Amino acid sequence: MTSDLLAPLDLAFWNIESADHPMHLAALGVFSAHSPTAGAHAADLLAARAAAVPGLRMRIRDVWRPLDLRQSLTRGLRQPLSLGGAAREPDPCFDPLNHVRLHAPTAGFHAAAGRLMQRPLERNRPPWEAHVLPGEDGVSFAVLFKFHHALADGLRALTLAAAVLDPMDLPEPRPRPAAPPRGLVPDVRRLPGMLRGALSDVGRALDIGASVARSTLATRPVPALTAEPTGTRRTAGVVVDIDDVHLVRKAVGGTVNDVLIAVVAGALRRWLDERGDGSKGVAPRALIPVSRRRPRTAHPQGNRLSGYLMELPVGDPDPLRRLAAVRTAMDRNKDAGPYRGAGAVALLADHVPALGHRLGGPLVGQAARLWFDILVTSVPLPGLGLKLGGHPLTAVFPFAPLAPGQSLAVAISTYRGRVHFGLVADAKAVPDLGRLARAVAEEVETLITVCGP
């Protein structure tokens, strides 16, 4: 396995990170256990299997490489190399025992997960960890998987985690046609199209930049969601039945995602009112990420994200009007497309040289609070039942990283007929995260009531 340069967005995540703002994503999987020793057995399995997964052996190393105009032209003038980059490369000293850790039995998986989430991953090793948490009840255990966003986005992290779970019988993938070999210099017949593409990219970047500037000028931060960072973390999880979500969707139209975003808006309203902050006139700005994965033939490989930006109708007391407002905002975003508007700001990473990411990363991270108040993201999961050591996975809660100045992020996954909300927050800014979790379940019940026969 050879090294490969980080894609621009991965490089941005690597340089934005600080001790108080680790940029790892995570998932807390809960498994049923057949015996009190199931957790220890699971830890042994994870360590043994991790050694055979190439993607888990990759560390990230800073590199200093000169601008290569020939490669820049070959790649369509879109991703030039420059000084100050980083690359993934195999770790010659990789030891899975440094990454898989068995903990003492615990009565609360989320309490333990919160403490583990606030610890940054070691940057001189492959940036991932698996923490096995046996339950005190002896009939369950949990595994917290942590992956740095520069190593893997949500979908890639899922692939890596699945590689250390029990193997599944899946159909063989269809072979992909081999990419044509690239010459030392670009085909001159392609240069006009490449130049048009480059100019189009520049125009798109200017359009996105202008939208970001306009949006930040109009921002009214929500104090409960944007606070001075403390580096502490707290997590919570909520599980609702997907059939209940479909019941609401069928009654009022829209998509499942529209309903879930409206649930988050309603839960925030309940939470703000009950903690005394008040929801009147509150419209926090939510970033809804949209994956724009690179083609398999792209160089470098890695994450590429866009996003939709919308104001959550928290201040509206009517749940159906809140849902209608979410539908309208999402339809407007979809009509504009993921390449336009302030929500597409992550795409600007492709237009920043590597040295710019290295020098400007911390500054960009601090600007997140001016751009959005809360992250609401969906993480895809397979519909097949997953197991570890024969123990079935019964629940899985995804966790997104917090940007500097952000107090709360919401990640959502659907697994085997149930929707799992994973909440991660700054523990000191949001000490009552459990109350917000209960508000999510209560909002689903409210929507069912108003949409019922």
Side-chain angles (χ1 to χ4, degrees):
M1 182 184 298
T2 59
S3 63
D4 64 287
L5 289 172
L6 293 187
L9 187 60
D10 298 327
L11 187 59
F13 283 129
W14 189 245
N15 287 295
I16 286 174
E17 182 175 67
S18 68
D20 287 342
H21 287 94
M23 293 304 295
H24 55 252
L25 46 88
L28 180 69
V30 180
F31 298 81
S32 63
H34 303 327
S35 72
T37 62
H41 177 55
D44 291 340
L45 280 177
L46 291 174
R49 292 172 177 175
V53 180
L56 296 179
R57 301 175 62 91
M58 303 297 284
R59 67 178 180 181
I60 296 176
R61 182 175 64 87
D62 292 334
V63 296
W64 298 89
R65 307 183 70 167
L67 178 68
D68 188 327
L69 183 59
R70 180 183 61 193
Q71 289 182 327
S72 300
L73 289 172
T74 304
R75 294 172 187 175
L77 297 175
R78 300 186 184 199
Q79 295 173 19
L81 301 177
S82 64
L83 294 170
R88 300 182 191 91
E89 65 177 16
D91 184 352
C93 301
F94 175 71
D95 182 354
L97 295 179
N98 291 327
H99 298 266
V100 179
R101 299 164 190 176
L102 176 65
H103 294 258
T106 178
F109 295 141
H110 279 287
R115 292 190 295 270
L116 293 169
M117 282 292 290
Q118 67 191 36
R119 301 180 187 174
L121 294 165
E122 296 187 44
R123 292 170 70 94
N124 61 339
R125 293 176 175 171
W128 68 274
E129 292 174 353
H131 297 269
V132 181
L133 308 168
E136 283 187 348
D137 55 13
V139 296
S140 64
F141 67 90
V143 180
L144 178 70
F145 289 101
K146 294 168 55 177
F147 294 91
H148 197 288
H149 215 307
L151 177 70
D153 63 359
L155 186 58
R156 174 63 176 162
L158 171 65
T159 302
L160 291 174
V164 293
L165 299 180
D166 291 356
M168 295 182 294
D169 294 328
L170 299 175
E172 289 292 328
R174 294 181 180 179
R176 291 179 175 268
R182 295 185 301 166
L184 296 178
V185 295
D187 187 335
V188 294
R189 294 170 296 182
R190 297 178 54 218
L191 283 175
M194 291 161 58
L195 291 171
R196 284 195 299 271
L199 292 174
S200 175
D201 279 358
V202 171
R204 184 179 297 133
L206 292 174
D207 179 67
I208 295 170
S211 297
V212 171
R214 288 193 298 269
S215 70
T216 54
L217 289 174
T219 294
R220 291 176 297 172
V222 179
L225 301 178
T226 53
E228 288 302 315
T230 67
T232 59
R233 294 291 182 269
R234 188 184 303 272
T235 74
V238 188
V239 181
V240 301
D241 197 309
I242 189 64
D243 289 341
D244 292 339
V245 178
H246 281 301
L247 185 153
V248 175
R249 178 189 62 79
K250 291 176 181 178
V252 300
T255 67
V256 165
N257 202 41
D258 294 341
V259 176
L260 296 178
I261 295 172
V263 166
V264 173
L268 288 172
R269 176 182 174 81
R270 293 171 182 269
W271 176 64
L272 290 172
D273 285 343
E274 292 185 11
R275 73 194 325 241
D277 291 338
S279 61
K280 184 177 180 180
V282 173
R285 182 164 297 175
L287 175 65
I288 317 294
V290 179
S291 177
R292 309 301 300 174
R293 295 190 66 82
R294 297 176 181 277
R296 296 177 69 91
T297 56
H299 295 278
Q301 285 288 309
N303 299 323
R304 193 166 191 257
L305 292 174
S306 180
Y308 298 143
L309 205 62
M310 63 178 293
E311 290 187 347
L312 296 179
V314 171
D316 194 322
D318 186 288
L320 291 183
R321 285 204 304 265
R322 288 197 297 269
L323 180 51
V326 168
R327 285 184 57 193
T328 299
M330 288 300 288
D331 287 345
R332 184 167 56 247
N333 275 312
K334 292 172 185 175
D335 288 342
Y339 292 101
R340 298 183 65 85
V345 67
L347 293 175
L348 294 179
D350 280 359
H351 302 274
V352 177
L355 187 59
H357 285 298
R358 178 179 294 277
L359 299 178
L363 181 62
V364 171
Q366 293 296 329
R369 71 176 72 190
L370 300 176
W371 176 35
F372 65 96
D373 298 299
I374 183 173
L375 177 74
V376 182
T377 183
S378 295
V379 181
L381 288 176
L384 301 173
L386 301 174
K387 295 182 179 181
L388 177 56
H391 305 285
L393 177 66
T394 59
V396 57
F397 301 97
F399 300 131
L402 290 181
Q406 304 290 313
S407 299
L408 175 68
V410 180
I412 307 170
S413 287
T414 301
Y415 175 68
R416 296 184 68 77
R418 299 196 298 174
V419 181
H420 296 73
F421 290 78
L423 313 179
V424 62
D426 184 293
K428 292 186 178 180
V430 188
D432 54 346
L433 187 62
R435 182 64 197 94
L436 177 59
R438 291 192 294 274
V440 170
E442 292 166 358
E443 183 64 17
V444 174
E445 291 299 324
T446 295
L447 284 171
I448 292 173
T449 299
V450 299
C451 294

